Amino acid sequence: MCSSCCYSCLKAMVFIVNLLVMLVGMVVTGLAVWLLVSEHLYLSSSWEDFSLVTCAVLSVGLLISLLAFLACCGAITHSKCLLGMFVISLLALLVGEVSVAVLVYFKELDYRPLLRKGMHEIVTEKYHPNNTATVQYWDTIQQGFECCGSSGPIDWAHSIYNGYQENTKEIGIGAKQAVLPFTIPSSCCRNLDDPLCSSTITPKFKTIIDENIYYSEGCLRKTINFISSNSLYLIISAISITFIEMLGIIFSTCLCCAIKKIEDLKP
C-alpha cells in the first residue's frame, strides 16, 4: 500500500512539474514565433536575415517543450522508452550547459561579439514602427537599462528607423558618408513627457546629443556591465537550474525503475 502510494506520488510529481515546464517552453516558443513572423511580414525579411537572438530563443523554447513533453507522456503511459529518452536528452543538455558555463567563466568563450552583433542588428535593421514586436521589447530594454542604441544614440542615424537604407538607395555612392537629419526613439528619452524628446537632430560638422534629454550610453555596454555586476546572482541561478535538472533526471530514473519493477512483478 505504501509503495503504491509512493509510486503514484512520484508519477504525479514528474507529470505536473514537466507539464509546467512544457507550458513555459510553449510560451517562450510563442514569443519567438511572434517576433519572427513580425519581422517576416512587416520587414519582408528573408529566412536568412532573421535575428540570431530570436532564433536562439525559439530553439530553447522548442527544446524545453519537447523534453517536457517526453516526460509527461512517459509518466502517463508508463513508458520506459519515453522516460529513458527524456533522461538521456536531459543529461546531454546538462553536460552541454555545464561545458558552456565553464568556458564562459574561464573566458575561453566570449559572448560579447554575439551580443554586439545581435544588438546592432536590432537597432539598424529590425527596429521599425511596423515591426511591433521588436519595437516593444527593445523600448523596454532601453527604458529599463536607461540606454540608447547599441553603442550610443548616434546608431539611430544609420538605422532603418530613419529610412537609412532607402536614403542610401536614393542618394547612391557616398551616401554612407552623408550626414542626414535623424530622430531618436522616445524610449531613449530621460523624460518621456519632454517636448524636446521628439525633436529632429540635424548634424552639421559634428553631431551633439543632449545628455540632459537622451540617454547617452549604449545598451551593449549597459548589458555587459549588468552581467558583470550581477555575476553572483547569475551563477546562483545557473546552479539552481542545474539542480532542478538533476532532480528531473533522478525522479524520472526512479519512476522508470519503478515501472520496470511493477512489470516484473506481473504474472
Side-chain angles (χ1 to χ4, degrees), residues 173-223:
I173 299 174
K176 189 173 182 178
Q177 288 74 30
V179 184
L180 302 174
F182 65 95
T183 57
I184 297 177
S186 59
S187 57
C188 284
C189 298
R190 297 183 183 275
N191 181 7
L192 296 177
D193 297 326
D194 190 341
L196 296 175
C197 177
S198 58
S199 60
T200 300
I201 297 174
T202 307
K204 293 182 180 179
F205 298 103
K206 184 179 180 180
T207 301
I208 300 176
I209 307 295
D210 192 342
E211 295 185 6
N212 295 319
I213 300 176
Y214 302 101
Y215 298 124
S216 58
E217 193 169 358
C219 293
L220 176 62
R221 178 177 294 180
K222 282 277 191 175
T223 303

Side-chain angles (χ1 to χ4, degrees), residues 3-264:
S3 59
S4 176
C5 181
C6 290
Y7 170 73
S8 299
C9 291
L10 182 61
K11 184 175 70 171
M13 184 167 56
V14 170
F15 174 77
I16 293 172
V17 170
N18 283 283
L19 180 63
L20 294 175
V21 172
M22 185 173 66
L23 292 175
V24 172
M26 291 175 66
V27 169
V28 172
T29 303
L31 290 174
V33 170
W34 178 44
L35 291 171
L36 290 175
V37 170
S38 179
E39 290 181 12
H40 182 66
L41 290 180
Y42 296 112
L43 298 181
S44 300
S45 300
S46 63
W47 297 107
E48 294 82 7
D49 296 332
F50 283 134
S51 172
L52 180 63
V53 176
T54 308
C55 292
V57 172
L58 177 62
S59 301
V60 170
L62 289 173
L63 182 60
I64 292 174
S65 301
L66 178 60
L67 290 179
F69 179 73
L70 284 175
C72 289
C73 290
I76 292 176
T77 61
H78 308 153
S79 173
K80 294 182 295 182
C81 180
L82 292 177
L83 288 172
M85 289 175 59
F86 169 73
V87 170
I88 293 172
S89 301
L90 190 57
L91 185 60
L93 177 63
L94 182 60
V95 171
E97 289 173 348
V98 172
S99 301
V100 171
V102 170
L103 290 174
V104 171
Y105 182 78
F106 289 104
K107 297 181 180 179
E108 295 293 330
L109 180 64
D110 193 359
Y111 65 90
R112 288 172 294 184
L114 290 176
L115 194 61
R116 182 182 295 109
K117 179 182 178 182
M119 287 191 168
H120 180 74
E121 186 180 72
I122 291 171
V123 172
T124 58
E125 301 176 13
K126 306 297 182 183
Y127 191 98
H128 189 276
N130 289 335
N131 191 0
T132 309
T134 301
V135 169
Q136 288 182 357
Y137 82 76
W138 187 252
D139 283 347
T140 302
I141 290 174
Q142 292 192 140
Q143 280 290 299
F145 280 157
E146 297 184 350
C147 58
C148 186
S150 175
S151 57
I154 194 63
D155 290 342
W156 294 107
H158 303 132
S159 68
I160 193 174
Y161 175 73
N162 281 286
Y164 178 72
Q165 293 180 348
E166 288 80 357
N167 291 332
T168 302
K169 292 177 182 178
E170 292 176 5
I171 297 173
I173 299 174
K176 189 173 182 178
Q177 288 74 30
V179 184
L180 302 174
F182 65 95
T183 57
I184 297 177
S186 59
S187 57
C188 284
C189 298
R190 297 183 183 275
N191 181 7
L192 296 177
D193 297 326
D194 190 341
L196 296 175
C197 177
S198 58
S199 60
T200 300
I201 297 174
T202 307
K204 293 182 180 179
F205 298 103
K206 184 179 180 180
T207 301
I208 300 176
I209 307 295
D210 192 342
E211 295 185 6
N212 295 319
I213 300 176
Y214 302 101
Y215 298 124
S216 58
E217 193 169 358
C219 293
L220 176 62
R221 178 177 294 180
K222 282 277 191 175
T223 303
I224 293 174
N225 291 341
F226 175 82
I227 293 173
S228 300
S229 59
N230 293 277
S231 57
L232 177 61
Y233 298 107
L234 293 174
I235 291 173
I236 293 174
S237 300
I239 292 174
S240 301
I241 293 173
T242 302
F243 180 71
I244 292 172
E245 290 176 342
M246 289 178 65
L247 287 179
I249 292 173
I250 293 171
F251 287 148
S252 299
T253 303
C254 291
L255 180 59
C256 190
C257 293
I259 293 172
K260 184 177 184 304
K261 187 176 180 180
I262 290 174
E263 289 178 350
D264 291 340

